[in-house]
Amino acid sequence: MQDNEISIIIPVYNESENLDALYERLHKTVHSLTDRYQILFINDGSTDDSMSKIQSISERDSNVFYVNLSRNFGHQIAVSAGLEYCSAQCTVIIDADLQDPPELITELFAKYKEGFDVVYAKRNKREGESFLKKLTAKWYYRLLKNLVSFEIPLDAGDYRLVSKKVVSAINSMPEQNKFLRAQIAWLGFKQSYVLYNRDSRKHGKSGYTYSKMMRLAFDGITGFSDKPLLFVSRLGFVISIFSFLLIVYAIFAHFALEQTITGWTSLIISAAFIGGIQLLSVGVIGEYISRINVNVKDRPLYIVDATNINCSKENIV
């Protein structure tokens, strides 16, 4: 397994209907590039018969391997497990829903051969996704780009090819709240991209709910930027100055102008505004404290129930 030229990591969660077609397209594409390859399925606690299909495929093809996680740990952690168990000079990350065409691997691999350590698939069009999802994703990644101190590629998901040294660097990062596309961008290295049109989902429905996407978005911001904390502290300073000036004006108006500022409505609005700012500030600080708490526990990132990879992961990368 140490001699593999390319590994394909596929996180799987309830993708039974897509697996056969995905494997056939992957096998045809990768086999045209090299005979030394590895297809690695990471079953992330699927509740359908995805795991039995993966086992069936692995019995037919000795280049197919699997890691079956004990429960659903989430997409980013499933990919992280694959990165720890893969073994090749370069690795491709691709989802199992067939929205990302496996045939694009040929172009990704060609770019890698030119000397790039990271080659990401950049979406030109996104079929089968709602206007709201595309709009929020567009806004979020442009916001994140302005918050972090390094360059994050826009309109690119996790579909990409990375070299062995990138995989090793990612595996050395101990944080529990994974956001791989930002982690890979943070590493630097020589990067390029390939444009493609993303297809609509062939079967089933996405496991990425809006709540999961929101969680991932918070992980991206709190994991790579401290600007929200700076914003909260500066906002608190501005409001304190404004409140002090308001107090000074109230005292001046009472004694010098003999006018007392009254008004129940203005008082309640001011209290509600200050209370909202305080809750926002506590929430932002709480997000950072939560990350510290999760990492201090030092629990395993995932638990493996079964795998057909015979060597320990410490000896793989």
Side-chain angles (χ1 to χ4, degrees):
M1 291 177 61
Q2 291 287 347
D3 297 327
N4 288 323
E5 190 170 6
I6 184 169
S7 287
I8 314 295
I9 295 175
I10 310 139
V12 177
Y13 179 69
N14 293 343
E15 297 288 356
S16 174
E17 295 178 290
N18 294 317
L19 291 177
D20 288 330
L22 173 66
Y23 165 72
E24 294 298 333
R25 292 171 64 179
L26 275 174
H27 177 267
K28 183 178 180 181
T29 301
V30 181
H31 193 68
S32 68
L33 298 174
T34 178
D35 292 328
R36 296 182 290 112
Y37 66 91
Q38 171 197 53
I39 298 176
L40 178 55
F41 290 95
I42 311 297
N43 183 45
D44 189 26
S46 297
T47 56
D48 61 4
D49 63 340
S50 292
M51 190 59 218
S52 62
K53 282 199 173 184
I54 292 171
Q55 288 176 318
S56 176
I57 294 171
S58 69
E59 290 169 1
R60 301 195 309 266
D61 188 342
S62 60
N63 291 313
V64 174
F65 299 88
Y66 63 81
V67 175
N68 184 33
L69 302 184
S70 61
R71 65 170 178 84
N72 179 247
F73 286 89
H75 179 272
Q76 297 292 289
I77 293 180
V79 175
S80 299
L83 291 173
E84 291 189 338
Y85 274 91
C86 71
S87 171
Q89 295 304 309
C90 66
T91 299
V92 173
I93 303 167
I94 184 172
D95 288 339
D97 54 16
L98 290 176
Q99 288 187 270
D100 300 321
E103 293 76 15
L104 194 68
I105 293 174
T106 302
E107 296 182 49
L108 298 175
F109 191 71
K111 282 284 188 180
Y112 160 72
K113 284 297 187 179
E114 293 176 14
F116 294 98
D117 290 296
V118 179
V119 186
Y120 56 90
K122 186 173 182 178
R123 300 159 182 160
N124 188 34
K125 292 182 180 179
R126 301 174 65 171
E127 301 293 340
E129 295 183 358
S130 67
F131 173 77
L132 178 61
K133 184 175 181 180
K134 288 188 281 189
L135 182 64
T136 53
K138 181 179 180 179
W139 285 353
Y140 168 70
Y141 283 108
R142 280 154 181 78
L143 170 64
L144 182 62
K145 184 177 181 179
N146 291 322
L147 289 177
V148 300
S149 59
F150 53 93
E151 189 72 19
I152 293 183
L154 299 175
D155 304 315
D158 291 312
Y159 189 19
R160 62 191 62 205
L161 180 150
V162 294
S163 68
K164 187 174 183 178
K165 63 182 178 183
V166 174
V167 173
S168 297
I170 288 294
N171 289 339
S172 70
M173 295 182 176
E175 60 256 44
Q176 298 279 316
N177 303 86
K178 296 292 185 180
F179 190 52
L180 292 170
R181 62 197 71 171
Q183 287 179 258
I184 293 171
W186 178 86
L187 290 173
F189 293 116
K190 193 175 180 182
Q191 302 188 17
S192 184
Y193 67 89
V194 172
L195 278 173
Y196 79 109
N197 295 326
R198 197 174 199 224
D199 297 329
S200 58
R201 171 177 278 273
K202 303 301 180 184
H203 303 284
K205 62 180 181 178
S206 174
Y208 252 123
T209 62
Y210 279 105
S211 61
K212 288 183 179 180
M213 288 190 290
M214 185 68 71
R215 179 69 264 168
L216 184 65
F218 276 119
D219 285 340
I221 293 174
T222 57
F224 294 92
S225 175
D226 60 357
K227 288 186 178 179
L229 289 175
L230 294 175
F231 171 76
V232 166
S233 62
R234 290 170 182 172
L235 182 63
F237 177 77
V238 170
I239 292 176
S240 297
I241 294 297
F242 176 76
S243 300
F244 175 76
L245 293 176
L246 189 61
I247 291 171
V248 171
Y249 173 74
I251 294 174
F252 175 79
H254 179 76
F255 290 102
L257 304 178
E258 297 183 353
Q259 295 178 354
T260 301
I261 300 176
T262 60
W264 181 87
T265 301
S266 60
L267 180 63
I268 294 300
I269 291 175
S270 300
F273 174 72
I274 298 299
I277 295 299
Q278 289 175 331
L279 288 175
L280 173 64
S281 303
V282 171
V284 170
I285 296 170
E287 283 292 327
Y288 285 89
I289 294 175
S290 175
R291 292 183 66 90
I292 296 172
N293 180 54
V294 169
N295 284 283
V296 164
K297 291 176 183 176
D298 199 26
R299 291 175 181 169
L301 192 61
Y302 57 87
I303 301 296
V304 175
D305 178 56
T307 179
N308 64 343
I309 300 177
N310 294 322
C311 52
S312 63
K313 70 181 181 181
E314 287 80 5
N315 298 322
I316 291 175
V317 178

